[in-house]
Amino acid sequence: MPPGLAALAQEPDFKFAEPWLVRSIAPTVDEAFSLLGPDAPENLLPIAALDDESFACVVCAPAQLPDDAGNGLVVRWHTRDIAPRFQADVIDIGIVDYVSSVDEELAARRDGLRRMLDQIGPAYEESYLDKEKRPRDFVIRPVRIACQNVIVGLAAFAQDSTFDGLSVVAWQTCEVPHVATHEGNRALAALTLCDAFRNGGTMEIRFDRDARVSCQGRRVVYHGHVEKAVPASLRRYGRTVGVDLGAKDPAAITPAEARELFLAVTPMPAELRARVDDVMATRGISPERICFSLLSQIWREPELDFLLAASARAASILEGGAPWTDRASRQAESEVCRAAVMAGMLFRRLNSTDAAGDASSAVRVVEDRSKGVTWHVDEVKAAITFRGVDATAPVPWARGTGGVDEVTVFPRTALTSDLAQAVAADDSAAFKAVLVPADVPSPPDLDGVVVLRCPDRLADIDKDIERRLLTSRISRG
Amino acid sequence: MSAEQALIVGLPDTAANRALIADINSAAARSRKAEPGDRLDIARFEALTTRLEQLAVNDAQAPRIEVSMPRPSAEALLFGFDQRDWSPSWPADVRAAAAGAVAAGRLPVLVVLPLTEGSPARRGDLGPAAAPATRWDSDGVRGWKAVEARFRAQLTQAVTAAADDRVPISPSGIQNSVVTETLREFTAQVPGCARVDVPVEYRDGSRSAYAFPLRSLPLKGQLAAASLELRFALLSIRHTEMDAVVDGAWLRNAEVSRPRPAGQTDDLVYDISRVQLAELCRGESHVRLYLYQTGLETAVVGFYKALADHLLRYPRSVSVQPMYYEAPRGRSRGPVGEQSALFRKGTPWTV
């Protein structure tokens, strides 16, 4: 037994967990260690099988480092080769929390599954799918999240006017070998929160309210979620991202907790996250709207970053834009949106490794094919720099120019001599270019500035923007 | 963030540019007449104005004067030679620069360049984001009673708060019978209490242009004798069960159920209802309407707001008997002749 575990075993709560632990995977502690393989760190004690290819392990501090930072964390150890960044992801912050939460989760799993698969799913199919009818928000709607045909999350919820929030009657997730740790929880939480936002209520999410469905003429009544509380798996995920769910009311995620959770489940690079924190504090933009815009991809990450960084009008844009009668505001917002859309388009082109045109490959793989390009927005110049660009390939839309790993673009919809001079005079060391729509005329004196012409014309971009703004206007309520 | 620059550009006075401006003005006029949520003419207007603005930006020879950036305004259009067509909200220097362009025989075009290098004059600072919403606790009450209690609490808060502290009522997601009955209760006059106009805001954040006049009408419980009695479904093509018992539909579903902010739908229903109520009551001593309602809260609130305002102006001209649809129990439904049994009467709105 590692020395750290011996100390841990002295704690009173540990006694509750210990019999359950090792017996679930091996007859003895030593045999449990052998399951991890030779590459595993020596201070990991496996306590439970997460799936066929990974174990939940307690991090035991070496005796000489009793206050080691990771001591007591529960992490996931994969027994097959995976990318190092996915190895030893935190599952929970403590063994007792982990064991008790898994206990609660597993105790409710069978009833929850039966509820989803035998009752709510068929009822929804009978009442809505078969009739090609769209349900209102107060109808219990089942949700299923799958990755490569493996289901990782199931839930069912409905907007409940009695407390003006979302009532959840089913919510369960699982870990599977090919999906990152807690990704099922994160994705299902994101979907749940987006639904709560779209319904327009207070964002409170309750797990203890009555609900009923009718299936094949039979009425089934549920008295809340099977666990009658915020599901243990969701609380466990919350602990790993620093959000204490159900702290104020064990059966509910309060609006304040929902806000924290929404921010936690929405993926953002560090720079964008810092900008979001800033605009929340100074420009009155609600974090729920930002998270919803990102998760529903109304605005993608580099686009939103550009909007927030380069324009004082981001709040109005995220709410659907100025009225058409205020042409000056509308003009300014349109120009910023067009620049953001073009920058987003270029980012996807730079970051994609889709081998559609690759004659040497027989199979076209479209999943997980990003190159890892990052971006930085210069908020004063309203320029965006892409880093980590493939230097062996030509820069897209640059007529063969290439051989660079960093590209700075100035997205605009007019190509003027003044702009060309400003770009030429820019002291950035990166490859610089103006990014314009396909149909923008070029002045004769471009001063050698490279022009990237995105494939869409101005009118096409405007249609795309109109769609996004309309979605922003009517997505809530 | 970057700075914004506004320019008045004087485009050449050519037949093509004049035609473009005429098209823009035509599209603007059509857009004003369009129903709320109908973006067809607005999209045309914006496409045409973008063309004009692009012409101005790309014309290197056209004279241009930098002007102050106009502040956000409800109406800010500046197209063509005629200054009477320019919105009055434009700053003086914008109007002067535009007038200068006209005097020089050129067509003034306002061009806004928002991504100019520099610091903005206005950062758009609005302070911190609104705090998370307050939870509603129904004190153990469940089901529709809890919904009613929540809506009632909103209305009570609205009529008791001082004018400065008054928050809008939000009827989103509440059953139409609960909305109708609770609003009726609070629309009735209370001795010693003044009328309270309370704004209506929906869950999408949109607010109706018309406030609801609470404590404004001396409502009675008995319907008066009528010279004309009509039965209307509130919305067409919603519940075909109603077709057998109604004379017509008050609102066309195709007009009302469109993707648009809820506040705009409320306003549309209000405007239509005011016109139709005035038309129906013309030449009649008293009109009685049986309104077979459906669950679109924007339509319900818009209609009763219009009814209240109509009754304030023409007392005793009309009374409305709400009829609430009740889904039949079990799967079997009776023949058409028995369909009226699917509705129950609400409390009449009559003075």
Side-chain angles (χ1 to χ4, degrees):
Chain A
M1 183 182 292
L5 182 62
L8 194 66
Q10 300 303 314
E11 292 182 11
D13 285 341
F14 187 78
K15 290 183 174 54
F16 159 70
E18 190 271 338
W20 179 85
L21 295 174
V22 176
R23 265 187 242 152
S24 70
I25 51 171
T28 65
V29 170
D30 285 337
E31 283 182 56
F33 277 117
S34 67
L35 294 170
L36 293 186
D39 296 335
E42 285 186 351
N43 65 334
L44 293 188
L45 169 68
I47 55 169
L50 278 183
D51 52 50
D52 293 344
E53 297 175 0
S54 65
F55 291 94
C57 304
V58 188
V59 180
C60 308
Q64 63 274 27
L65 288 171
D67 298 325
D68 190 60
N71 189 16
L73 288 181
V74 181
V75 299
R76 182 184 188 188
W77 189 261
H78 297 264
T79 53
R80 61 168 179 144
D81 275 349
I82 60 155
R85 66 195 164 102
F86 295 118
Q87 195 61 282
D89 275 344
V90 176
I91 306 172
D92 208 333
I93 57 170
I95 185 168
V96 176
D97 283 334
Y98 175 70
V99 171
S100 56
S101 74
V102 171
D103 191 35
E104 284 175 54
E105 183 186 359
L106 294 182
R109 177 163 288 180
R110 203 169 54 179
D111 283 351
L113 264 182
R114 195 172 53 224
R115 190 178 276 196
M116 280 299 302
L117 302 179
D118 300 343
Q119 295 164 352
I120 296 173
Y124 184 80
E125 189 171 5
E126 181 185 303
S127 305
Y128 294 96
L129 295 182
D130 289 349
K131 294 177 183 169
E132 296 184 350
K133 229 171 112 181
R134 204 173 153 196
R136 298 283 301 274
D137 59 4
F138 55 75
V139 171
I140 293 182
R141 288 155 288 134
V143 169
R144 182 171 65 192
I145 294 182
C147 180
Q148 295 178 349
N149 283 339
V150 180
I151 295 171
V152 294
L154 289 168
F157 38 67
Q159 184 70 9
D160 189 333
S161 297
T162 61
F163 63 98
D164 200 18
L166 197 70
S167 174
V168 180
V169 292
W171 208 100
Q172 54 196 56
T173 58
C174 63
E175 303 286 356
V176 294
H178 66 287
V179 177
T181 307
H182 275 311
E183 198 54 18
N185 284 316
R186 191 198 65 80
L188 198 54
L191 255 168
T192 309
L193 288 161
C194 281
D195 199 88
F197 177 83
R198 216 177 0 235
N199 297 337
T202 62
M203 295 293 293
E204 181 174 2
I205 300 169
R206 295 204 67 91
F207 297 84
D208 62 346
R209 289 304 165 107
D210 291 356
R212 54 181 65 86
V213 295
S214 294
C215 182
Q216 295 171 336
R218 206 163 57 88
R219 180 171 274 206
V220 186
V221 178
Y222 304 122
H223 303 292
H225 188 273
V226 181
E227 295 177 45
K228 296 277 188 299
V230 180
S233 59
L234 183 54
R235 275 183 283 135
R236 190 165 64 238
Y237 170 67
R239 286 193 291 272
T240 65
V241 293
V243 183
D244 191 6
L245 298 171
K248 199 164 183 182
D249 178 347
I253 297 174
T254 63
E257 291 169 359
R259 174 172 287 191
E260 282 185 69
L261 184 63
F262 219 164
L263 284 166
V265 300
T266 308
M268 291 182 225
E271 203 171 312
L272 174 56
R273 192 165 289 277
R275 214 182 299 282
V276 166
D277 289 343
D278 176 56
V279 299
M280 276 161 48
T282 60
R283 284 156 69 186
I285 304 179
S286 93
E288 289 86 359
R289 186 164 283 282
I290 291 175
C291 295
F292 181 78
S293 297
L294 284 173
L295 289 170
S296 58
Q297 296 279 279
I298 297 172
W299 297 102
R300 296 181 180 91
E301 289 78 1
E303 296 165 349
L304 183 72
D305 202 5
F306 187 87
L307 291 178
L308 297 176
S311 175
R313 299 181 184 270
S316 168
I317 291 169
L318 290 180
E319 286 180 358
W324 67 273
T325 47
D326 183 359
R327 184 60 200 163
S329 299
R330 186 82 179 164
Q331 206 185 142
E333 289 176 5
S334 295
E335 183 70 10
V336 175
C337 292
R338 290 164 188 156
V341 167
M342 287 190 294
M345 213 183 291
L346 178 61
F347 171 75
R348 291 196 297 284
R349 183 74 176 74
L350 290 169
N351 198 33
S352 162
T353 57
D354 182 10
D358 183 1
S360 63
S361 172
V363 180
R364 180 183 176 191
V365 179
V366 292
E367 287 180 351
D368 300 332
R369 300 277 287 176
S370 65
K371 286 179 180 167
V373 172
T374 59
W375 72 89
H376 163 75
V377 181
D378 184 325
E379 50 188 43
V380 176
K381 294 176 185 167
I384 182 164
T385 300
F386 298 105
R387 300 192 176 112
V389 175
D390 183 1
T392 62
V395 174
W397 317 330
R399 295 170 187 261
T401 314
V404 293
D405 62 359
E406 195 170 314
V407 177
T408 297
V409 292
F410 295 74
R412 304 287 189 272
T413 55
L415 199 50
T416 62
S417 306
D418 291 349
L419 176 63
Q421 284 169 16
V423 173
D426 184 75
D427 55 3
S428 158
F431 171 89
K432 291 170 293 184
V434 181
L435 174 60
V436 293
D439 56 345
V440 163
S442 293
D445 50 343
L446 275 177
D447 217 4
V449 167
V450 178
V451 177
L452 307 185
R453 289 186 178 277
C454 86
D456 284 3
R457 295 170 306 144
L458 186 57
D460 302 326
I461 295 170
D462 279 352
K463 268 187 202 157
D464 184 21
I465 293 167
E466 174 62 18
R467 180 187 57 78
R468 295 176 193 225
L469 295 178
L470 177 66
T471 309
S472 297
R473 280 196 293 274
I474 63 172
S475 55
R476 186 162 163 79
Chain B
M1 59 192 73
S2 57
E4 292 184 347
Q5 189 184 23
L7 304 167
I8 289 289
V9 179
L11 274 182
D13 181 15
T14 62
N17 287 344
R18 276 182 176 250
L20 182 54
I21 286 175
D23 284 347
I24 289 171
N25 284 326
S26 154
R30 292 170 69 93
S31 299
R32 282 199 183 85
K33 286 191 275 185
E35 285 170 9
D38 181 354
R39 303 281 301 176
L40 200 68
D41 287 308
I42 293 171
R44 184 166 156 260
F45 166 82
E46 295 197 323
L48 291 166
T49 49
T50 299
R51 240 168 75 192
L52 183 73
E53 287 149 8
Q54 286 290 308
L55 281 175
V57 173
N58 291 312
D59 187 344
Q61 309 303 319
R64 53 196 64 207
I65 300 171
E66 186 163 354
V67 292
S68 59
M69 184 68 207
R71 288 190 166 273
S73 165
E75 177 86 27
L77 302 178
L78 187 153
F79 298 104
F81 279 121
D82 194 342
Q83 296 191 26
R84 286 171 301 183
D85 292 341
W86 303 350
S87 303
S89 64
W90 291 108
D93 65 328
V94 176
R95 295 183 75 85
V102 171
R106 288 183 165 266
L107 289 164
V109 178
L110 178 80
V111 171
V112 178
L113 303 172
L115 302 175
T116 309
E117 185 169 343
S119 298
R122 294 194 298 270
R123 255 180 60 84
D125 284 352
L126 298 164
T134 310
R135 297 167 70 195
W136 161 252
D137 185 3
S138 60
D139 287 332
V141 180
R142 297 283 172 110
W144 68 268
K145 286 185 176 170
V147 177
E148 186 186 6
R150 188 167 66 81
F151 191 48
R152 185 179 295 279
Q154 283 180 17
L155 288 161
T156 306
Q157 205 273 340
V159 294
T160 52
D164 292 344
D165 300 332
R166 196 166 293 144
V167 291
I169 57 169
S170 175
S172 297
I174 304 176
Q175 295 97 318
N176 79 80
S177 57
V178 173
V179 171
T180 309
E181 293 296 311
T182 317
L183 279 176
R184 188 205 174 279
E185 184 185 329
F186 280 82
T187 306
Q189 281 178 348
V190 174
C193 295
R195 167 180 162 173
V196 176
D197 287 343
V198 59
V200 179
E201 189 174 287
Y202 292 89
R203 284 198 302 217
D204 61 1
S206 63
R207 191 179 280 207
S208 166
Y210 308 103
F212 207 108
L214 301 181
R215 289 180 171 171
S216 60
L217 290 168
L219 292 173
K220 294 175 184 167
Q222 294 297 314
L223 290 166
S227 59
L228 176 65
E229 190 174 293
L230 291 169
R231 293 167 188 273
F232 284 109
L234 181 61
L235 271 172
S236 64
I237 325 291
R238 273 274 172 149
H239 287 292
T240 46
E241 295 91 335
M242 295 176 180
D243 291 353
V245 291
V246 297
D247 299 308
W250 187 255
L251 303 164
R252 291 182 63 217
N253 203 12
E255 286 175 349
V256 173
S257 301
R258 284 197 179 187
R260 63 165 85 89
Q264 285 185 7
T265 302
D266 178 321
D267 293 343
L268 176 71
V269 171
Y270 177 90
D271 290 334
I272 293 172
S273 299
R274 284 302 300 266
V275 171
Q276 291 182 173
L277 284 169
E279 188 66 31
L280 265 182
C281 295
R282 187 173 301 146
E284 298 289 341
S285 60
H286 185 83
V287 178
R288 183 189 299 169
L289 300 180
Y290 288 85
L291 195 68
Y292 291 72
Q293 298 188 181
T294 52
L296 188 67
E297 60 267 23
T298 46
V300 173
V301 174
F303 173 81
Y304 283 103
K305 213 167 11 167
L307 175 67
D309 282 349
H310 179 86
L311 286 173
L312 282 167
R313 186 156 183 196
Y314 308 106
R316 288 181 287 281
S317 60
V318 62
S319 54
V320 173
Q321 170 66 65
M323 302 293 286
Y324 306 126
Y325 176 71
E326 289 197 325
R329 292 188 181 276
R331 296 180 66 80
S332 62
R333 290 185 178 187
V336 170
E338 295 171 16
Q339 293 300 317
S340 57
L342 296 176
F343 297 91
R344 71 178 164 86
K345 287 182 176 177
T347 313
W349 290 58
T350 182
V351 294

